[in-house]
Amino acid sequence: MDIVEYNRLKLTIRHQPLLLWLLSCILAAVGVGVISFQSGSTLTCQRGAKTGSCELVKSGLVGSEVRTIPLESLRDVSLDLNLKNDSNDTYRVVLLTGSEEIPFTSNYSADSNQQESIASEINAFIMNQNQASLNVQQDDRWFSYLFGSLLIGVGLFVAVHKGKVVTLSFDKVRDRMMLKQRGLLNGTTIELPLAEIVDVTIETIRDAKDRQIERVALVLDSGKHLAITPDADPFWDYKKVAHCIRVFLNLNSESSRKTPQI
């Protein structure tokens, strides 16, 4: 919140929610990253009379990674355990060759039964020389897509519904109070004569969850209250806003935390 103009003829207060814009961009970017960099894995093996090979394909939205493994070099399969402090351990299958360990998937999974089943199926193929082929798949991208979409949605909601530029101006030359709110998709403008304003107050209301919240409101000569700031916004200095308006309009009474009239 900034007081961009303050003199005897004009008062202008503007709020640009830069932190909310940054937060919405971060949430959307993380959501896109979660969706883009998750992949599904497929292991396809063919065994011939004397030799064979396996092809490991990890495919995602940004492309695919293909790796060919000679079947004779594939020795065993194990479960890689990722320990966590909250005891929610995660697992992934690892292919063991004579010289390296090759993760079957890029990410760990909390489903240990699924990982054990995949490891057992691959091990059974390695041990059974009469099995000609193997095709094993793991694709948990649906959860990543759901989670990523949720982050993008929250980021867009914050930007559209909360990230509005608010400009509040009082002009004695034009005898007008103007409240402008501009968002990504739309905007609103409220105007009224300064003579209709009889007081300014920091009022207390209750939200849908019955919590007490505050906002600055103008008291009109009709007795109605016109809210001019967002409810319970930590980026607004309500006392400073109310004081500046009161001094500018020569309103002598100090009024705060009133209940709005219906």
Side-chain angles (χ1 to χ4, degrees), residues 205-236:
I205 62 174
R206 292 187 177 275
D207 63 7
K209 296 182 179 179
D210 202 34
R211 296 174 299 189
Q212 287 190 344
I213 57 177
E214 293 182 338
R215 64 188 181 188
V216 178
L218 300 178
V219 182
L220 307 182
D221 57 5
S222 63
K224 294 183 178 180
H225 287 208
L226 173 64
I228 57 175
T229 63
D231 300 341
D233 192 324
F235 300 104
W236 282 82

Side-chain angles (χ1 to χ4, degrees), residues 12-78:
T12 303
I13 300 171
R14 181 174 294 124
H15 175 60
Q16 300 183 85
L18 300 179
L19 291 179
L20 286 178
W21 292 343
L22 178 61
L23 175 62
S24 65
C25 289
I26 291 174
L27 288 173
V30 172
V32 171
V34 168
I35 292 175
S36 300
F37 294 102
Q38 298 299 312
S39 61
S41 297
T42 301
L43 179 67
T44 304
C45 298
Q46 297 292 333
R47 176 182 278 123
K50 296 183 179 180
T51 185
S53 66
C54 294
E55 186 177 75
L56 177 61
V57 180
K58 297 179 182 179
S59 57
L61 291 180
V62 296
S64 299
E65 176 188 349
V66 181
R67 179 162 185 176
T68 301
I69 307 169
L71 185 57
E72 59 270 19
S73 69
L74 188 57
R75 309 289 177 154
D76 199 359
V77 180
S78 68

Side-chain angles (χ1 to χ4, degrees), residues 1 32 43 52 94 140 150 160-161 171 178 208 223 249-250 255 261:
M1 185 206 82
V32 171
L43 179 67
V94 176
D140 299 324
L150 178 62
V160 172
H161 294 281
D171 191 334
M178 184 177 294
L249 296 179
N250 298 315
S255 176
Q261 298 182 23

Side-chain angles (χ1 to χ4, degrees), residues 67-182:
R67 179 162 185 176
T68 301
I69 307 169
L71 185 57
E72 59 270 19
S73 69
L74 188 57
R75 309 289 177 154
D76 199 359
V77 180
S78 68
L79 280 186
D80 184 17
L81 174 63
N82 183 27
L83 296 174
K84 294 187 175 181
N85 294 331
D86 57 5
S87 299
N88 293 324
D89 300 334
T90 54
Y91 310 82
R92 69 177 176 183
V93 174
V94 176
L95 309 177
L96 305 178
T97 69
S99 59
E100 61 181 327
E101 299 180 354
I102 305 173
F104 176 58
T105 57
S106 301
N107 306 300
Y108 289 84
S109 170
D111 190 347
S112 60
N113 292 330
Q114 178 197 44
Q115 301 305 300
E116 289 175 357
S117 176
I118 293 173
S120 297
E121 189 173 352
I122 299 174
N123 264 328
F125 173 77
I126 295 174
M127 299 298 296
N128 184 4
Q129 298 297 318
N130 295 321
Q131 185 175 345
S133 63
L134 172 72
N135 185 276
V136 182
Q137 298 181 356
Q138 181 181 334
D139 194 344
D140 299 324
R141 284 177 289 179
W142 65 269
F143 176 77
S144 299
Y145 291 168
L146 179 63
F147 183 62
S149 299
L150 178 62
L151 290 176
I152 294 173
V154 171
L156 291 176
F157 177 84
V158 170
V160 172
H161 294 281
K162 300 296 183 180
K164 294 182 178 180
V165 177
V166 179
T167 303
L168 180 64
S169 62
F170 298 82
D171 191 334
K172 290 182 178 178
V173 176
R174 297 180 59 245
D175 187 32
R176 279 288 181 271
M177 185 286 300
M178 184 177 294
L179 173 62
K180 292 183 178 180
Q181 299 185 72
R182 292 290 180 265

Side-chain angles (χ1 to χ4, degrees), residues 201-204 214-215 225 239 255-260:
T201 179
I202 302 174
E203 62 183 19
T204 300
E214 293 182 338
R215 64 188 181 188
H225 287 208
K239 291 183 179 180
S255 176
S256 66
R257 293 175 173 80
K258 293 181 179 179
T259 301

